[in-house]
Amino acid sequence: MNKLMWPQALGLLLVFAGCLQADEQHQSTHQVHTEDPEVFATVNGTPLGANLYHFLLGSRAQDTTERQAYDDGFDAEMNRQQTAKDLVMTEVLAQQATRQGLHESERVKVEMAMAEKTLLAQLYVKQLMAAIEIDESDIRQYYDKQREQAMYRFMIWRTTDPDRAMKFLSALKAGNDAGASDADVIETPWLRDTDIAPEVNAIVRQLAVNEFADDPVFQDGYWKVVQVIDKQVMAKQSYEEERELIRAELVSQKLDKKLGELADNASIVFNDQHVTRPTD
């Protein structure tokens, strides 16, 4: 077989070598099991269910689709062969680990328990999401409430004295210094409106470039004189372009509410010996 057809992964080479070294008994068993549509392959006499292969293939479906979209040389058939090899190699390694008793270790038992709980949680979340219905009117209402996104750059003069801040503001508006140059001055990089506190965003959204906020803004322990030195406003995308994104956002919001209700209704008691606890 042409070596270029094989990835350089050691695991796959081991699979190939293992297939060549299979004895006649395994070959015979393999032939018997492959007649069963529910069996994908046998490894050392152990049957692998076809459902395992289809699950692994399905879990890689998204990656396969993306690869096909940008990689003209992507071979879907070779991808399926690779999936088959990976499944067989996983079984070979799992059998070897079992022979060495790794499945009896406390670490493996804990990881298996965590894997089971994680899988069940993910399946239940998928079930919840599938049951969530979003009305078209809700999507339209959400879209209509959205405003154009804006980005700003600011010049900010900070002081802990509100009277001094007002003095700076009056002087700067008049084109004077009045000691403002001695203040703590900050020139910000571009900031999205979503990165700005809502109460501040409501003020600066009304300002044109080079204009000052009418009053100093108190934030983070400082009185701030705010001047917009640059501004960009991006128009909203069309409803058709935003529809699915909004629907996903509304589903996420309803899901968060359902999950919150589940947690609130659960009886949860922590062991005081453990100091790490989740916070809201």
Side-chain angles (χ1 to χ4, degrees), residues 6 43 177 229 249 268 276:
W6 291 86
V43 179
D177 183 280
I229 59 175
E249 174 61 25
I268 303 171
T276 302

Side-chain angles (χ1 to χ4, degrees), residues 29-42:
T29 305
H30 176 80
Q31 294 298 327
V32 171
H33 280 294
T34 52
E35 294 176 4
D36 184 344
E38 295 186 0
V39 174
F40 174 70
T42 61

Side-chain angles (χ1 to χ4, degrees), residues 22-239:
D23 57 30
E24 293 183 359
Q25 180 181 356
H26 288 165
Q27 290 289 348
S28 175
T29 305
H30 176 80
Q31 294 298 327
V32 171
H33 280 294
T34 52
E35 294 176 4
D36 184 344
E38 295 186 0
V39 174
F40 174 70
T42 61
V43 179
N44 296 327
T46 300
L48 287 175
N51 58 341
L52 293 175
Y53 170 70
H54 292 300
F55 171 79
L56 186 57
L57 199 62
S59 69
R60 299 180 178 185
Q62 180 63 34
D63 180 61
T64 298
T65 301
E66 293 175 355
R67 285 281 304 278
Q68 287 176 316
Y70 70 80
D71 186 355
D72 294 336
F74 181 76
D75 189 328
E77 176 58 31
M78 183 166 289
N79 179 68
R80 286 190 288 271
Q81 293 176 8
Q82 182 66 58
T83 300
K85 294 169 187 174
D86 290 346
L87 177 60
V88 171
M89 190 61 201
T90 298
E91 177 62 23
V92 169
L93 294 174
Q95 289 181 14
Q96 192 67 21
T98 301
R99 291 190 191 99
Q100 294 183 10
L102 295 181
H103 63 300
E104 296 293 343
S105 71
E106 286 303 314
R107 178 183 176 88
V108 170
K109 290 179 181 179
V110 170
E111 289 193 17
M112 290 292 289
M114 192 66 226
E116 180 183 14
K117 294 182 185 301
T118 300
L119 176 59
L120 288 172
Q122 291 174 344
L123 291 174
Y124 185 66
V125 166
K126 287 182 179 180
Q127 179 178 305
L128 285 177
M129 291 180 67
I132 292 176
E133 296 183 357
I134 304 296
D135 292 335
E136 192 72 24
S137 60
D138 293 334
I139 300 177
R140 172 60 71 173
Q141 185 178 21
Y142 188 98
Y143 175 80
D144 291 340
K145 287 182 178 180
Q146 286 185 325
R147 297 188 297 182
E148 298 89 350
Q149 289 187 335
M151 295 183 67
Y152 310 93
R153 289 178 58 240
F154 300 109
M155 191 69 77
I156 298 174
W157 291 261
R158 302 192 311 176
T159 176
T160 56
D161 184 344
D163 294 333
R164 193 173 182 219
M166 283 300 302
K167 181 180 178 182
F168 289 163
L169 178 59
S170 298
L172 290 166
K173 280 186 173 182
N176 301 322
D177 183 280
S181 58
D182 297 328
D184 184 5
V185 185
I186 300 172
E187 181 177 336
T188 72
W190 282 104
L191 299 173
R192 297 178 300 176
D193 52 5
T194 53
D195 296 328
I196 302 171
E199 63 275 12
V200 177
N201 187 40
I203 296 171
V204 299
R205 181 174 282 273
Q206 312 303 321
L207 301 177
V209 174
N210 294 326
E211 286 187 337
F212 292 85
D214 289 337
D215 298 294
V217 176
F218 185 73
Q219 191 180 50
D220 304 325
Y222 289 94
W223 290 94
K224 301 179 181 180
V225 176
V226 179
Q227 180 189 30
V228 176
I229 59 175
D230 212 343
K231 179 178 180 180
Q232 291 184 2
V233 178
M234 286 72 75
K236 288 199 305 185
Q237 291 184 300
S238 68
Y239 178 74

